[in-house]
Amino acid sequence: MERPANAGDTPVELEITVENVELALYQLYFDPDMEHKSMAQKWLTQAQASAQAWQFCWALLSSDKLPEVQFFGASTLHIKISRHWNDLHPDQHESLRMQLLSHILHFSSGPKMVLTRLCVALASVALNLIPQAWPQPVAEMVRAFQPQKPESEAATGAVATQDPHVHCLALLELLIVLPEEFHSSRLAQARRSQLREALAGEWTVVCPMLHQLLQSQDSSTQVKEKVLCCLSSWVGLDVPLAKSQELVQDCFTILSNQELFDTAVETIVNSISQPDCQNYIDALVNLMPLVLGLHDKLKTAAQDGDMETSHGICRIAVAMGETHCRVLLEQEDHWQEYLALVNMILFCTGIPGHYPVSETTSSLTLTFWYTLQDDILSFEEEKQAIYLQVYRPVYFQLVDVLLHKSHYPPQEEYNSWSSDDKEHFRIYRVDISDTLMYVYEMLGAELLSNLYDRLGRQLMDPQQAIWQDTEALLFGFQSIAETIDVNYSDVIPGLIGLIPRINISNIMLADTVMYTIGSLAEWLADHPVMLSSMLPMVLQGLVKAELSVSSVSTLKRICRECRQDLNPYTQDILTISQDVLGKEIHKSSQCMWLMQAMGYLLSALPVDEILGRLHSLITPHIQQLDTLAQQEPNPTNKQSIIHILGMLSSLFTTLDIRRQAESFEEATSPGLTPAKTICNPVLVVLQQLYTLIQTLLSKWLDDSEMVEAVCGVFDKSVRTLLHDFGPMVAQLSEMLGQIYSGFPQVSALDLACQMVHIFAGEEHHLASIKGLIQVLTSATLAIFQQGPRDHPDIAESFMYLHAQILKRKPDLYLSDQLDVKGLFYCGIVSLKFPETPTVKAAGIFFTELLPRCKDITVLSDVLERDGKLLTETILQAIGGMSSHGVMDHFSEVLLILNRHYPVMLSQWLKETLQTPGFPSAQISSKQKRNFSQQLLREQTSKSHMKEIVMEFSLLCRGLQGSGYFNC
């Protein structure tokens, strides 16, 4: 497409003419300025919506125009027909139809993109005219594309000279897009049903023609491919399988044509996957031999490594077996055929090769086994027993196949795989794991016994065992134990006895051993005597970086589930954990997990031992933190500091001695008093850290990540300690005030919210909390006065903080130091944010604030003064200023207003809605009145209020009846 000399001109103000449309198209394609491109695009969109488009679209289709221009003309024609059909007078429909047919014939030899758009346009015409004005569109289309007789050549001119082969392809293209346009069009349900029935009736014309073209030796490969696509398109119209059965059978014949194989597979799968196919059992049964007849071809393809062929045949087998599983199971006279199909799918599951490098077929079959099992187990007990007798052996074979498919390849081969291939294989193993877990429901304890017996035979001579076989069996155990309660299984003690005999020199085998032990953590909690054989293996894995994820996660699970029984092993666990943390063997996230494990471990120790153990664990890290705090800030020490603070946060998340304290209280007689109050070790450490953390903040106060890490330490501690954190409330309140005053951070607001939740109700902490709230509020109001648009996260957290205050301690709003008017204004501003979380938080703030206005005079005064502004802001948002996704939050605020202040709301609605064009120019005065009346009548139902608000919002946006919410 050549660029014209004046392509840089801006078309935005130009008159809509053919020449200017072309100019804008050139600008869209060639102007390097993105702003100019955007302007051209906008103008062209407006041009397509204009009345002139009905004229210029035909001019753009002229033979002397470039293909891109012709394509725009055809696209414009489709847009006009599909969206502006009512512009046309009924007298114009016939001429439009004939013009389009003529142009399709003209463009039948190309360009392809123009031909397709013209076909879509004619399809749209058909959908508007069927059935009254165009009762038999397909028959007429077929006649229009028939080769012309010699005597009519003079009348038809150029049309008669066209190549019949090209005409045939054009007709098929038209027939392909007709159902597609039906599916993509927005139609009322009644109209859709009417059109579907009418189009399905046209199948009597389409089907014989397609069958004839497939059977004809004169049909080219290109024609046959279009025929297949056409069948695939039409079966989506619920064409009865009984009426398309012969065509589908023809498709099986076409599978022998390698050029058409993929298309034929797609067509067969689409044809037999339609839900209503189950109504035509005879047709399905008749197709079954054709599917089974592909088994030999499948075996040959698998043997030859022909992934494309095996993949396609597998898709057909799975489509037949999975879509119609129950129907085919119920055909008792054909049970052997369905069993053969199940075995064919089993072959696909176990197809040779390693997924995803040398095969990609087996993954297609996994959901089939879920479906088959569900359908078998849904039968009544007597019938179920019969099917289980037939299919349980198949499922045992399936387990063998799945375990084999989960095998890792030889190490050298695996090392040569790309990272993507390794990730796909990992996901594939997860899918196999899920399938094994599901299969356990059918096979039960016998499955575990089977796995155990096989593992025992393998480990009779551990040196001769192939590590992949051992790994696969453990993988099977782990898959089941992760989700199924195996505590009462009689094979688990034997498995625990076998695991130490496994040679874990291979990293991948060792990895699975770790995960298997982790999956049995709950069982070990009930049988703590077995910990002595499992823990050494886990600790052995802990020192290997390659086993980082599996060993650390397993230790964490054991420490969580078995903590009450780990006292004999505490020193070993702590020593090795301290050692690996000091040597930095593990990545940051695994260090966090390890610290969580240590928290669980320490929590179960006698209280008077915890502090000493805790100090020995964290002292090296505190010393490192102290050293880093003295250094000048730089990116390297920043990450080290955040890492250490993260480890402390993780430790304090799980180090919870409250359960022990509760147990102690229960064990103590009512008449006795403990000798001394237990001081929480976490609190002791935090008090010792306080000065160091202040030093850190003095250098890193303007770094949000650092402040977030510091707040994280205290947030996790507060959540774990709850009221035991009380002695530090004053210190932390002071520190948060200093942080936020110097550099406002979301993390500080979130931590303050947590403190309000826990301590606002305690009188001896009220002064500290009150002072903190005043500092945070004053600093945030300053941000809002300067313009908060760049801080939606601060606005969100600030709204949540004050919602929490109103919920826990609304008396704080009685303080003269709290600018309630400013807070109300902040809430209104936050409602205007485009970010949904901020709007949601502001909505929650108002739903907490408004009911309390009657009880707190200062709030009542603010509402009387600014309630109208709040109402106006909400109406403006509903009218189009905010997205549809936040309407629920506005409706809840309106409901609260109407429930508590109906008289004032009525007045505010009246005053705001009387403004012309508010909240939208598309809304009439009558519609405003109706909305106001409906709203004021609703004081109880949230759902009904949401409907009222949503309907009004659609009216304001001109979307009523568009089906917006059904799309």
Side-chain angles (χ1 to χ4, degrees):
M1 186 172 180
E2 297 180 3
R3 177 179 177 175
N6 60 349
D9 296 343
T10 302
V12 173
E13 302 299 330
L14 297 179
E15 181 185 355
I16 298 176
T17 64
V18 174
E19 294 75 16
N20 289 337
V21 170
E22 289 191 72
L23 173 66
L25 285 169
Y26 284 122
Q27 186 169 323
L28 182 65
Y29 281 112
F30 293 112
D31 197 316
D33 190 317
M34 292 306 297
E35 186 176 347
H36 288 173
K37 285 179 178 287
S38 178
M39 292 168 64
Q41 177 70 52
K42 184 177 179 181
W43 186 85
L44 287 167
T45 301
Q46 293 173 347
Q48 285 182 317
S50 70
Q52 297 96 307
W54 285 109
Q55 284 73 46
F56 73 66
C57 62
W58 296 110
L60 296 177
L61 287 166
S62 175
S63 300
D64 60 343
K65 303 297 181 185
L66 293 169
E68 292 83 355
V69 175
Q70 293 171 334
F71 177 77
F72 182 79
S75 296
T76 301
L77 192 53
H78 172 241
I79 287 172
K80 298 305 292 183
I81 293 168
S82 59
R83 301 182 190 174
H84 304 275
W85 179 254
N86 291 332
D87 291 355
L88 297 174
H89 191 275
D91 293 344
Q92 296 174 286
H93 295 167
E94 178 65 21
S95 61
L96 173 63
R97 198 170 79 192
M98 298 312 295
Q99 269 185 292
L100 268 171
L101 276 169
S102 176
H103 276 77
I104 290 171
L105 287 165
H106 175 75
F107 282 98
S108 57
S109 56
K112 172 71 165 58
M113 61 180 182
V114 181
L115 172 65
T116 300
R117 294 315 296 169
L118 288 171
C119 288
V120 172
L122 184 57
S124 188
V125 170
L127 295 181
N128 278 293
L129 296 178
I130 295 173
Q132 290 84 4
W134 200 0
Q136 294 180 314
V138 173
E140 188 172 323
M141 291 173 188
V142 171
R143 283 196 299 272
F145 285 86
Q146 290 295 323
Q148 303 296 321
K149 295 180 180 179
E151 58 266 27
S152 62
E153 286 181 4
T156 57
V159 172
T161 65
Q162 291 293 324
D163 182 357
H165 175 259
V166 172
H167 273 196
C168 181
L169 290 172
L171 173 60
L172 289 170
E173 181 71 20
L174 180 55
L175 294 177
I176 289 169
V177 301
L178 182 56
E180 291 174 354
E181 180 68 5
F182 166 77
H183 288 300
S184 63
S185 297
R186 282 182 176 176
L187 300 164
Q189 190 59 45
R191 177 62 177 159
R192 182 172 294 278
S193 299
Q194 182 188 37
L195 281 175
R196 183 186 294 275
E197 183 180 351
L199 288 172
E202 295 288 281
W203 183 242
T204 55
V205 178
V206 177
C207 184
M209 183 188 74
L210 298 183
H211 183 65
Q212 181 183 350
L213 288 171
L214 278 184
Q215 294 290 331
S216 174
Q217 294 182 349
D218 296 332
S219 295
S220 66
T221 299
Q222 195 176 5
V223 167
K224 289 183 178 180
E225 184 172 22
K226 286 284 186 187
V227 169
L228 294 173
C229 292
C230 191
L231 172 58
S232 192
S233 180
W234 277 77
V235 293
L237 294 172
D238 297 337
V239 171
L241 181 61
K243 294 184 179 180
S244 60
Q245 180 183 334
E246 286 189 17
L247 267 177
V248 177
Q249 290 171 341
D250 290 341
C251 294
F252 278 91
T253 305
I254 300 253
L255 288 171
S256 59
N257 185 329
Q258 202 58 37
E259 288 183 73
L260 296 174
F261 180 82
D262 288 342
T263 310
V265 167
E266 195 68 38
T267 303
I268 293 169
V269 169
N270 284 343
S271 299
I272 63 178
S273 297
Q274 299 304 314
D276 72 326
C277 287
Q278 298 188 8
N279 298 326
Y280 307 98
I281 296 171
D282 289 344
L284 286 173
V285 169
N286 290 337
L287 289 174
M288 184 73 85
L290 297 176
V291 178
L292 296 176
L294 298 172
H295 201 162
D296 290 339
K297 188 180 180 73
L298 172 65
K299 290 179 180 177
T300 302
Q303 186 176 349
D304 296 343
D306 184 352
M307 292 170 63
E308 183 180 325
T309 300
S310 58
H311 195 86
I313 294 174
C314 177
R315 286 187 63 202
I316 294 172
V318 170
M320 176 65 84
E322 186 172 353
T323 310
H324 311 295
C325 181
R326 188 177 185 88
V327 169
L328 293 173
L329 276 172
E330 290 174 337
Q331 306 312 304
E332 297 176 3
D333 292 341
H334 300 277
W335 70 270
Q336 290 177 311
E337 288 183 9
Y338 189 64
L339 179 60
L341 179 64
V342 170
N343 281 308
M344 183 177 175
I345 295 173
L346 182 63
F347 178 86
C348 294
T349 306
I351 202 161
H354 281 109
Y355 183 94
V357 175
S358 53
E359 68 92 3
T360 57
T361 298
S362 57
S363 63
L364 301 176
T365 66
L366 297 182
T367 56
F368 164 76
W369 300 108
Y370 289 80
T371 304
L372 177 59
Q373 179 174 318
D374 283 345
D375 285 338
I376 290 173
L377 296 181
S378 69
F379 287 122
E380 61 275 12
E381 191 172 339
E382 185 177 339
K383 196 171 185 181
Q384 182 186 127
I386 296 172
Y387 282 107
L388 286 174
Q389 189 176 356
V390 174
Y391 286 102
R392 270 176 63 90
V394 176
Y395 272 84
F396 274 111
Q397 291 179 57
L398 173 65
V399 171
D400 291 342
V401 166
L402 291 175
L403 292 178
H404 180 73
K405 293 298 294 184
S406 71
H407 275 199
Y408 281 96
Q411 193 68 55
E412 288 186 12
E413 182 183 339
Y414 185 71
N415 291 340
S416 69
W417 284 13
S418 69
S419 57
D420 281 349
D421 287 339
K422 289 179 180 178
E423 177 61 12
H424 285 308
F425 183 60
R426 185 193 68 79
I427 295 170
Y428 176 66
R429 278 172 55 98
V430 170
D431 292 339
I432 287 177
S433 175
D434 291 342
T435 308
L436 287 170
M437 177 271 294
Y438 207 73
V439 166
Y440 179 83
E441 186 180 347
M442 176 181 278
L443 302 182
E446 191 177 346
L447 172 56
L448 288 178
S449 298
N450 180 285
L451 294 176
Y452 172 70
D453 291 342
R454 291 172 60 182
L455 183 63
R457 288 195 296 272
Q458 279 191 26
L459 295 179
M460 287 178 66
D461 186 357
Q463 299 304 318
Q464 296 300 316
I466 300 173
W467 73 264
Q468 286 98 333
D469 291 340
T470 305
E471 192 278 335
L473 288 169
L474 285 175
F475 174 72
F477 269 114
Q478 176 216 333
S479 301
I480 296 165
E482 281 290 359
T483 49
I484 304 297
D485 183 5
V486 295
N487 283 3
Y488 303 102
S489 171
D490 56 1
V491 305
I492 301 302
L495 173 63
I496 294 289
L498 288 176
I499 287 177
R501 298 176 58 184
I502 298 172
N503 181 350
I504 58 172
S505 57
N506 180 277
I507 291 299
M508 286 177 280
L509 173 57
D511 213 38
T512 302
V513 168
M514 293 297 139
Y515 283 125
T516 304
I517 295 172
S519 70
L520 298 172
E522 289 186 27
W523 188 91
L524 289 169
D526 292 336
H527 306 81
V529 70
M530 306 302 288
L531 282 167
S532 59
S533 61
M534 293 293 98
L535 264 177
M537 296 188 74
V538 177
L539 296 178
Q540 182 184 345
L542 204 63
V543 301
K544 296 181 180 179
E546 302 92 333
L547 299 177
S548 180
V549 175
S550 59
S551 62
V552 174
S553 64
T554 295
L555 180 62
K556 178 183 170 183
R557 293 177 74 169
I558 289 176
C559 288
R560 184 183 66 215
E561 302 297 337
C562 310
R563 54 185 151 186
Q564 302 301 331
D565 302 296
L566 290 177
N567 198 32
Y569 316 102
T570 298
Q571 188 56 54
D572 288 343
I573 296 172
L574 282 171
T575 300
I576 292 176
S577 298
Q578 287 174 261
D579 185 52
V580 297
L581 287 170
K583 293 178 179 178
E584 299 182 357
I585 290 174
H586 302 292
K587 292 181 180 179
S588 182
S589 56
Q590 278 72 59
C591 290
M592 306 305 158
W593 296 354
L594 189 52
M595 280 303 215
Q596 288 176 9
M598 297 303 99
Y600 288 125
L601 180 68
L602 293 173
S603 297
L605 293 177
V607 176
D608 54 357
E609 286 185 28
I610 294 177
L611 190 58
R613 301 274 194 180
L614 179 59
H615 272 136
S616 68
L617 174 64
I618 66 174
T619 294
H621 306 292
I622 301 301
Q623 291 173 343
Q624 185 186 0
L625 188 64
D626 192 20
T627 302
L628 292 168
Q630 307 308 319
Q631 299 173 3
E632 288 302 310
N634 66 69
T636 303
N637 61 23
K638 172 185 171 181
Q639 291 307 314
S640 298
I641 292 170
I642 289 175
H643 174 71
I644 295 171
L645 292 173
M647 288 201 297
L648 292 174
S649 298
S650 298
L651 176 64
F652 297 157
T653 301
T654 56
L655 209 173
D656 184 4
I657 67 167
R658 285 176 301 146
R659 291 183 181 177
Q660 280 206 57
E662 290 166 5
S663 300
F664 178 80
E665 289 171 9
E666 290 171 7
T668 303
S669 300
L672 299 175
T673 305
K676 60 179 181 178
T677 303
I678 299 172
C679 187
N680 197 298
V682 173
L683 190 67
V684 175
V685 171
L686 286 174
Q687 289 171 329
Q688 294 170 350
L689 276 175
Y690 186 74
T691 303
L692 176 54
I693 286 177
Q694 283 193 313
T695 304
L696 276 174
L697 288 172
S698 67
K699 294 186 177 183
W700 292 94
L701 187 59
D702 60 347
D703 189 294
S704 60
E705 291 181 76
M706 188 67 73
V707 172
E708 184 177 353
V710 168
C711 289
V713 173
F714 287 100
D715 181 70
K716 297 296 190 294
S717 303
V718 169
R719 290 173 186 272
T720 302
L721 299 178
L722 299 178
H723 295 283
D724 288 350
F725 188 84
M728 283 199 73
V729 168
Q731 285 176 294
L732 182 55
S733 297
E734 182 183 357
M735 188 184 81
L736 283 178
Q738 292 171 353
I739 290 174
Y740 200 79
S741 298
F743 197 80
Q745 303 272 7
V746 169
S747 51
L749 290 172
D750 293 341
L751 178 52
C753 188
Q754 191 65 26
M755 291 180 66
V756 168
H757 176 69
I758 297 171
F759 299 109
E762 299 184 10
E763 284 300 321
H764 54 290
H765 294 310
L766 189 56
S768 298
I769 297 295
K770 185 176 180 181
L772 173 60
I773 297 306
Q774 289 172 357
V775 171
L776 297 180
T777 301
S778 177
T780 308
L781 288 178
I783 294 174
F784 270 83
Q785 287 168 1
Q786 295 166 7
R789 182 63 199 92
D790 295 333
H791 306 284
D793 51 348
I794 286 180
E796 177 190 346
S797 293
F798 186 61
M799 290 292 100
Y800 277 126
L801 171 61
H802 274 276
Q804 188 68 253
I805 294 168
L806 288 160
K807 187 182 295 184
R808 303 291 294 177
K809 195 67 176 176
D811 290 353
L812 289 174
Y813 273 65
L814 296 172
S815 170
D816 294 336
Q817 304 298 317
L818 205 62
D819 185 356
V820 177
K821 294 178 183 178
L823 280 170
F824 200 89
Y825 168 77
C826 289
I828 290 174
V829 172
S830 298
L831 286 174
K832 297 180 179 181
F833 273 69
E835 289 82 6
T836 298
T838 308
V839 176
K840 179 181 178 182
I844 291 173
F845 166 69
F846 278 113
T847 57
E848 292 293 339
L849 180 142
L850 293 172
R852 293 171 174 81
C853 289
K854 291 180 179 179
D855 303 322
I856 302 175
T857 305
V858 65
L859 288 179
S860 179
D861 293 342
V862 172
L863 180 63
E864 287 184 20
R865 192 192 71 170
D866 291 330
K868 179 182 174 182
L869 178 60
L870 173 61
T871 306
E872 184 179 312
T873 301
I874 293 174
L875 292 176
Q876 198 171 27
I878 294 170
M881 290 297 290
S882 296
S883 68
H884 282 289
V886 296
M887 291 302 111
D888 286 0
H889 308 305
F890 295 120
S891 69
E892 288 184 15
V893 177
L894 287 173
L895 183 64
I896 295 292
L897 274 172
N898 195 36
R899 184 179 296 165
H900 295 278
Y901 315 100
V903 176
M904 288 195 290
L905 179 60
S906 175
Q907 183 62 30
W908 295 331
L909 286 172
K910 182 179 178 181
E911 292 174 5
T912 53
L913 290 175
Q914 70 183 5
T915 305
F918 181 86
S920 167
Q922 300 195 52
I923 206 84
S924 68
S925 298
K926 182 179 178 182
Q927 289 170 322
K928 291 182 189 181
R929 283 195 303 274
N930 288 341
F931 166 67
S932 183
Q933 291 168 2
Q934 285 181 301
L935 191 154
L936 292 170
R937 279 197 297 265
E938 185 53 71
Q939 293 187 343
T940 56
S941 172
K942 282 186 180 182
S943 59
H944 189 217
M945 180 63 82
K946 288 176 183 179
E947 290 173 6
I948 293 168
V949 168
M950 193 62 75
E951 183 181 352
F952 187 66
S953 179
L954 289 173
L955 284 169
C956 290
R957 299 162 200 254
L959 293 173
Q960 190 192 38
S962 64
Y964 180 88
F965 294 100
N966 297 321
C967 296

